[in-house]
Structures are given as structure tokens and as C-alpha cells.
Amino acid sequence: MLNTMALIDRVQLELGAQEPWPKDAKLYQPYEVEQILLSDNANCLAVQAFLKMCNLDFVVEPRANAEAMSPSGKVPFLKAGAFVVSELEGIVSFVNNKGISLTEKFDQEAKSDMRAYMSLVHNVIEVAELYISWVDKETYNEVTSVRNGSIYPWPLNHIQNRAKRNQVIKKLKVLQWYKKSTKEVLEEVENCCQALSDRLEGKEYFFGTSCELDALLYGHVHTVLTNTKTVAMKKLADVIKKFNIITEHCRRIDEQFMRRSSCVYFG
């Protein structure tokens, strides 16, 4: 069954490659202010940055049920003509199949390094965002439960929050993060940021020109630095602020691709 689904996905990507990029491409995601959570916000921003790096037209379409609409159950997802593709990796593949690639001139070693650092971001910073959002009591009570349950009436909001929290905690247990203390989580993030900073030092972008790794890190760094409503969220932001190379990288993408002005939170 899985092989069949993979074959269908591959065929769809190949068919999509035959069509020009549509002028009305739409990127679906949750509402930013009222609903979106840390990790989802980061991944949505990463896809937006990637598409802008590729000079592709799209509009953001907020939907309260974006997660349920997504073919993978995760946000964001892109509707380009007759095709619907979700998450950064899937959208990158879809775009690449149209002959548009940010890594076309990369050799195999560079591509392998890029994938390794992307895995590092996913496996540390994104998991830390999930931990802070769903395990830290203050963040869960004041931010996560309010946002995640905002689209449901009572008592469905309570039921949905419990179901989602159980799902995330199960994932954190598998990854052996659930029993970590907040201090240990922050140390993991600091080590991750040190590795990323070392790789980025002396360069504007990780591999000389912007690529999906730059977009992914941007999404997570920007999200963490602009969401500091609780003590744990502030501590997470403070860890990243220790690394000027990373915050400057975020500022650079913000200004060059996202067309935003510099803000004080990058200080």
C-alpha cells in the first residue's frame, strides 16, 4: 500500500513538472495571530522563504482547518494548479521537478551536507519547539492550548487539545526528549546553534548562495525570536540570540527575500 502511494506521489510530481508555474498558487496555513503554534509557524515561514528564493509567485491563504486539509496532515501545503503538495521537502521536490532548483550547482558532498544540517534543525530546534509548546506548563496553558483550541467550541477544544498533546508527547518519548528538563532542552539547542554557526561563519549563506537549508533555519529562528510570551519561550530565544552569525543570517533573509525591515528583536 505504501509503495503504491509513493508511486502515485511520484507520478503526480512528474505530471506537475509538465505544467508552468501557476499565477494563482496558494500556500495554505493556520491563522498566524490566533492559531498557529511555534513549529507550524516555523515550517510555514520556511516554505514562504524558499518560494521567494525561487522567485515564484504565491499568496498565503490562512485557513482554520489547514492541517485537516493537508494531504499529509501537516502545514503548510501548496496548491499549484491541479496539484497539492505539503511540507518543505515535498514542495522543494515539486519545484525541482519543474526545473527550478536552488542547489543545481551543488556537488553531491554539498547536497549531503545540506541534508544533514536540515536534519539537525528538524531534530533539535523543531523538537525543542514542540517540547516548549506542549510540555512546559506555562507555555501550554497560556499559549498552546489557547491557540490550538481556538477554532473549536467548548468542550471540543479541550478534547482536541488533549488528543494533540498526547500525540506530541508520544513523539517526544520516542525521541527520548520527554523526560528532559527545560535546561537540557536549551543545552541541546545551544549545541545545535553552535554547529550551525560554525558552518555558516564567514559566509552569507551556508553554501554561498541561498538554499532550502537557509530557508528552513530562517523559519525557525524568526519564529523563536518573535514569540517570547512565556519564560521558557524567552529562554529559547535567548539561546539563539547568543549566536550573532545566526541572527544576522535571519535578518539578511528577512530583508532580502521577505522584504521586511530590520527589527529590534535581532539585537
Side-chain angles (χ1 to χ4, degrees):
M1 181 65 177
L2 289 175
N3 290 335
T4 301
M5 293 301 295
L7 177 60
I8 291 173
D9 289 342
R10 187 160 60 249
V11 171
Q12 288 178 333
L13 285 174
E14 291 173 357
L15 289 173
Q18 300 172 13
E19 299 182 357
W21 186 261
K23 294 182 179 180
D24 61 344
K26 295 179 180 179
L27 189 68
Y28 289 85
Q29 64 178 60
Y31 285 98
E32 288 188 5
V33 176
E34 306 93 334
Q35 183 187 9
I36 205 164
L37 303 179
L38 280 180
S39 60
D40 289 341
N41 193 0
N43 289 319
C44 290
L45 273 179
V47 171
Q48 289 180 39
F50 168 74
L51 292 175
K52 287 180 179 290
M53 288 173 181
C54 294
N55 292 314
L56 294 172
D57 294 328
F58 69 96
V59 294
V60 175
E61 286 283 340
R63 289 288 187 275
N65 61 339
E67 192 173 73
M69 293 169 64
S70 170
S72 67
K74 296 182 179 180
V75 292
F77 71 92
L78 178 75
K79 186 177 187 303
F83 301 92
V84 178
V85 191
S86 61
E87 302 177 72
L88 178 61
E89 285 74 13
I91 292 170
V92 168
S93 295
F94 181 75
V95 170
N96 288 349
N97 279 330
K98 287 186 174 293
I100 304 167
S101 174
L102 297 176
T103 60
E104 183 179 8
K105 296 182 180 179
F106 289 16
D107 58 26
Q108 283 304 121
E109 183 178 358
K111 289 180 180 179
S112 295
D113 282 352
M114 184 191 71
R115 288 192 291 269
Y117 280 102
M118 288 181 73
S119 293
L120 183 65
V121 175
H122 282 305
N123 294 334
V124 179
I125 300 180
E126 184 170 343
V127 176
E129 291 163 353
L130 289 173
Y131 178 97
I132 296 297
S133 296
W134 296 94
V135 178
D136 178 70
K137 291 182 179 180
E138 182 191 13
T139 306
Y140 176 76
N141 290 330
E142 295 189 12
V143 180
T144 307
S145 62
V146 176
R147 290 187 179 181
N148 189 70
S150 64
I151 63 172
Y152 306 104
W154 188 89
L156 186 58
N157 60 346
H158 177 73
I159 296 170
Q160 290 290 343
N161 281 341
R162 175 174 290 185
K164 181 72 173 182
R165 187 168 188 267
N166 288 340
Q167 178 186 345
V168 173
I169 286 176
K170 183 178 180 180
K171 177 178 180 177
L172 293 174
K173 286 181 177 178
V174 169
L175 297 173
Q176 298 184 338
W177 275 62
Y178 180 63
K179 291 186 177 180
K180 289 181 183 291
S181 65
T182 301
K183 180 181 178 182
E184 289 172 328
V185 168
L186 296 177
E187 287 173 352
E188 292 275 8
V189 174
E190 185 164 359
N191 291 336
C192 173
C193 287
Q194 185 63 64
L196 290 164
S197 184
D198 290 344
R199 182 64 178 81
L200 184 58
E201 187 171 9
K203 298 182 290 292
E204 288 192 349
Y205 300 106
F206 281 96
F207 297 92
T209 60
S210 59
C211 66
E212 40 264 42
L213 170 59
D214 297 290
L216 178 64
L217 182 61
Y218 164 79
H220 286 279
V221 171
H222 189 282
T223 295
V224 170
L225 294 182
T226 55
N227 286 272
T228 56
K229 293 186 176 181
T230 66
V231 172
M233 294 169 84
K234 288 177 182 176
K235 287 182 177 179
L236 182 59
D238 286 342
V239 168
I240 290 180
K241 285 180 180 180
K242 292 179 182 180
F243 299 89
N244 291 334
I245 291 174
I246 290 178
T247 57
E248 284 300 319
H249 174 264
C250 182
R251 184 208 298 269
R252 190 175 301 116
I253 294 175
D254 222 26
E255 294 176 348
Q256 182 171 345
F257 297 105
M258 308 302 283
R259 301 294 185 262
R260 295 170 173 168
S261 59
S262 302
C263 298
V264 294
Y265 49 75
F266 291 122

